[in-house]
Amino acid sequence: MKFNTRLLHGKAIQKNSKGEILPPISQVSAFRYESMEELEKIFQHKRMGYAYTRIGNPTLSAFEQRVKELEGGADAICCSSGMSAITASLLTVLAGGDEIVAGSGLYGGTIGLFHDLEKLGIHTVSAEQMTEEELDGLVTERTKLIFAEVISNPSLKVLDIAGTAAYAHARGIPLFVDATTATPCLVRPLTLGADVVIHSTSKYLNGGGNSIGGIIVDGGHIRWDPERYPALEEFARYGSMAFSVRLRTDLWENLGGCMAPMNAFLNYIGLDTLGLRMERICHNADVLAHALNELPQLEVNYLTLPAHPYHSFVESQLNGLGGGILNFRAGTKEKAFRILNELKYGLIASNIGDVRTLVIHPASTLYIHNAKEEREAAGVYEDMIRVSVGIEDAEDLVEDFICAVKKAEQYDGT
Ligand code: PLP
């Protein structure tokens, strides 16, 4: 089965008891049983079943099974948000005194989380390029995890997944990747050696901009060494599933960041069109980036532009697609604001991965709490606009953006 057929007819598509084509929405807090013995067995994990939605729910399971299959994982656990998925996955493995080596140019919320983890004694160092030489200078005995975004938002750096996984594994370190912007349509990181894949489902997996969520997919590849990872010691008997078992039966339950059943349903139906949407979004982004790149006053950042430093990954790793995000620098913050205000179809909103084109000035919003140096290290500049390209007609988007740039120029008579 190819991508779209597997999406709709894969093993993960369950048969529902009344023949429903979609999973019923189990919008309940708890599940009742005829006898106390039955419920006891569920709590003892001796019988499959559901007790309480924070620790499991059939609608969440239906969504998890599909993402697990799409990514080729051993287990998948969905969370209340992308940030909750990143937090739960890191805390399942790490303890005070550990270090993370993280890619640069990451989503601002993740950078904020790394600051929060400092207070728990978990230190993060940032790798500009993730090359072997650079990693040699950053990895220490305390490094317990490498974390990176597959295509970083918004800087558009691409992670060499296979190369980084090989480097990490040779040193007994797992590679966790945030694949939100790439989606399994562009790349399935577990097949290239990543150990855990995280998505903010609020973006492309959902696609409709209607619910916040996150998901963690465990490849089930790692034999966790309990001495290096004491947080997993108690779960060592589960072998390569120790991460998922601790996450599902311990940390995720206790942190309380489950996905709402209604959101799992909305994500489930969003997934149906993931392939179609990504094809169209990537086509539009490519057309728009090339058109904007013709304007000498703009500096455009998009992966399919031939001069892009990560251009070669489009063919070698990203299924020939450049993703749905592009950025451009307008010259000054004022010009950037004017362009944003002139757009008709690009909606000013703080999200990505919607079917509608969304635009934002990251420096004054998403990165407002980051220091200038940190912003620039993340590829965010005062004059930069981020565009999350939607599924509108490419010709209309090009016309809208070119008109907005021209109108913005007229203000100062240039
Ligand atoms: N990861 C990436 C790459 C993101 O862009 C975002 C949000 O923009 C997140 C994680 C956080 O996701 P959420 O907003 O669902 O918590």
Side-chain angles (χ1 to χ4, degrees):
M1 276 191 271
K2 293 212 167 55
F3 187 83
N4 288 303
T5 314
R6 185 165 45 215
L7 250 180
L8 300 171
H9 301 285
K11 284 199 198 103
I13 304 294
Q14 65 188 28
K15 290 206 166 55
N16 297 306
S17 60
K18 304 272 185 308
E20 302 95 328
I21 280 180
L22 293 169
I25 309 168
S26 298
Q27 188 65 39
V28 295
S29 308
F31 299 78
R32 65 164 281 212
Y33 287 86
E34 291 306 319
S35 73
M36 196 49 233
E37 285 77 8
E38 282 177 83
L39 187 55
E40 182 186 34
K41 285 200 182 91
I42 307 256
F43 271 79
Q44 291 170 332
H45 303 296
K46 287 188 178 154
R47 204 188 118 173
M48 292 288 284
Y50 299 94
Y52 186 61
T53 287
R54 174 162 55 70
I55 59 180
N57 175 291
T59 319
L60 273 59
S61 301
F63 176 57
E64 289 169 344
Q65 289 306 314
R66 279 183 95 185
V67 179
K68 178 178 112 175
E69 181 176 11
L70 275 185
E71 289 289 11
D75 198 7
I77 293 158
C78 60
C79 303
S80 56
S81 67
M83 287 317 303
S84 126
I86 298 174
T87 308
S89 63
L90 298 182
L91 292 182
T92 297
V93 175
L94 300 175
D98 289 346
E99 287 180 4
I100 305 171
V101 173
S104 63
L106 303 180
Y107 167 62
T110 306
I111 299 176
L113 173 66
F114 290 147
H115 286 304
D116 295 330
L117 293 180
E118 292 286 340
K119 292 171 194 125
L120 301 178
I122 299 168
H123 180 54
T124 302
V125 290
S126 174
E128 265 304 301
Q129 308 286 341
M130 286 276 182
T131 58
E132 199 165 326
E133 303 75 63
E134 196 190 10
L135 287 171
D136 279 343
L138 296 172
V139 168
T140 69
E141 258 308 294
R142 291 174 186 297
T143 308
K144 300 292 174 61
L145 197 137
I146 297 183
F147 179 94
E149 288 174 12
V150 172
I151 303 175
S152 63
N153 170 24
S155 63
L156 305 187
K157 288 184 178 178
V158 182
L159 176 73
D160 170 5
I161 302 170
T164 313
Y167 180 96
H169 295 161
R171 287 152 188 84
I173 304 170
L175 173 65
F176 283 32
V177 299
D178 177 337
T180 298
T181 49
T183 80
C185 198
L186 272 64
V187 63
R188 299 166 78 214
L190 298 176
T191 64
L192 299 180
D195 300 296
V196 169
V197 176
I198 300 154
H199 291 277
S200 162
T201 61
S202 325
K203 321 295 182 199
Y204 296 99
L205 297 197
N206 171 282
N210 57 42
S211 47
I212 298 294
I215 196 159
I216 304 162
V217 190
D218 177 15
H221 302 143
I222 298 197
R223 285 243 146 227
W224 298 90
D225 170 359
E227 274 185 29
R228 262 176 70 68
Y229 293 92
L232 290 171
E233 197 177 353
E234 210 188 304
F235 299 85
R237 67 181 183 281
Y238 297 102
S240 61
M241 294 307 288
F243 170 82
S244 297
V245 177
R246 173 164 195 227
L247 179 62
R248 193 178 275 289
T249 63
D250 187 35
L251 210 89
W252 176 74
E253 270 186 37
N254 298 338
L255 284 177
C258 69
M259 183 178 276
M262 184 67 196
N263 288 0
F265 177 77
L266 292 168
N267 289 331
Y268 187 101
I269 52 180
L271 267 189
D272 291 346
T273 55
L274 177 67
L276 274 184
R277 282 185 285 107
M278 287 313 288
E279 225 174 89
R280 172 69 170 234
I281 283 172
C282 295
H283 165 77
N284 283 359
D286 179 63
V287 171
L288 182 60
H290 280 84
L292 293 174
N293 204 35
E294 294 289 311
L295 302 180
Q297 63 272 49
L298 304 182
E299 201 181 302
V300 185
N301 177 7
Y302 185 64
L303 290 174
T304 63
L305 294 174
H308 197 283
Y310 292 91
H311 179 77
S312 64
F313 282 94
V314 172
E315 288 307 326
S316 67
Q317 188 176 275
L318 301 175
N319 201 16
L321 301 170
I325 298 180
L326 66 90
N327 304 308
F328 62 91
R329 296 183 64 176
T332 63
K333 176 179 174 183
E334 291 66 34
K335 273 193 194 164
F337 268 44
R338 276 187 237 135
I339 294 172
L340 288 163
N341 293 339
E342 286 295 342
L343 287 167
K344 275 191 302 189
Y345 307 133
L347 309 179
I348 298 175
S350 162
N351 196 13
I352 56 171
D354 198 302
V355 285
R356 289 152 278 262
T357 294
L358 305 181
V359 291
I360 200 161
H361 181 255
S364 59
T365 53
L366 308 165
Y367 289 80
I368 195 162
H369 300 300
N370 298 92
K372 185 164 181 270
E373 306 74 61
E374 208 169 35
R375 280 209 298 262
E376 297 198 346
V380 173
Y381 301 94
E382 279 299 300
D383 62 341
M384 189 182 110
I385 291 175
R386 181 187 74 186
V387 186
S388 168
V389 181
I391 63 167
E392 299 89 346
D393 293 297
E395 297 77 2
D396 289 334
L397 286 179
V398 169
E399 191 188 313
D400 190 27
F401 276 79
I402 303 261
C403 261
V405 171
K406 292 198 171 142
K407 279 196 192 154
E409 297 267 308
Q410 281 160 13
Y411 280 103
D412 44 33
T414 55

